[in-house]
Amino acid sequence: AAGTVPGVGELGPPILGRSVHLLPLAESAARTLRVLLAIDAVISQNPELHEAWDLYKSVARDRVETLRRERRRDERTESFERMLIHLDCTLMSGRSFVAAAEQNFDPGRHYREAD
């Protein structure tokens, strides 16, 4: 019957809507992923950038440690520290493509695997 999938059963209404065209969406996603791959390649192949980033992290860590010793840490400092860690683990390590691909695109678990 229309609207059913063998082994899954009745399909609900289209999640994105009937008028949503997926080809432009896929093309835009592909362009974005190509840009991320290019950024990763540039960052990975630039030793001067790695040296400068290591120096910046060192200075930032010293500043955070100074604030910690003086008991002047606040929400902005903690937010800054989280941002540095995130940048270090994704963009500056040449993993922005991987980070984008590994995102949870279905946090509400709308799409479930068939049992």
Side-chain angles (χ1 to χ4, degrees), residues 17 40 50 72-73 76 80 92 99 107:
D40 286 348
H50 286 281
R72 294 188 330 173
R73 287 180 54 100
R76 286 179 35 195
F80 176 73
M92 297 310 292

Side-chain angles (χ1 to χ4, degrees), residues 54 56-66 84 88:
D54 288 340
Y56 181 77
K57 284 190 306 185
S58 175
V59 170
R61 277 191 214 119
D62 288 346
R63 178 67 179 143
V64 168
E65 283 302 315
T66 300
L84 279 180
D88 195 39

Side-chain angles (χ1 to χ4, degrees), residues 11-60:
L11 294 176
I15 292 175
L16 298 175
R18 294 189 193 283
S19 64
V20 174
H21 301 282
L22 294 179
L23 187 58
L25 176 66
E27 289 171 344
S28 294
R31 279 193 296 276
T32 301
L33 293 175
R34 277 197 305 266
V35 168
L36 291 176
L37 284 171
I39 290 170
D40 286 348
V42 167
I43 289 172
S44 296
Q45 298 170 8
N46 189 331
E48 290 84 11
L49 184 59
H50 286 281
E51 184 180 334
W53 177 245
D54 288 340
L55 179 61
Y56 181 77
K57 284 190 306 185
S58 175
V59 170

Side-chain angles (χ1 to χ4, degrees), residues 32-33 36 86 90 96-107:
T32 301
L33 293 175
L36 291 176
H86 181 71
T90 55
S96 58
F97 174 81
V98 172
E102 290 179 345
Q103 285 186 42
N104 181 5
F105 292 101
D106 187 24

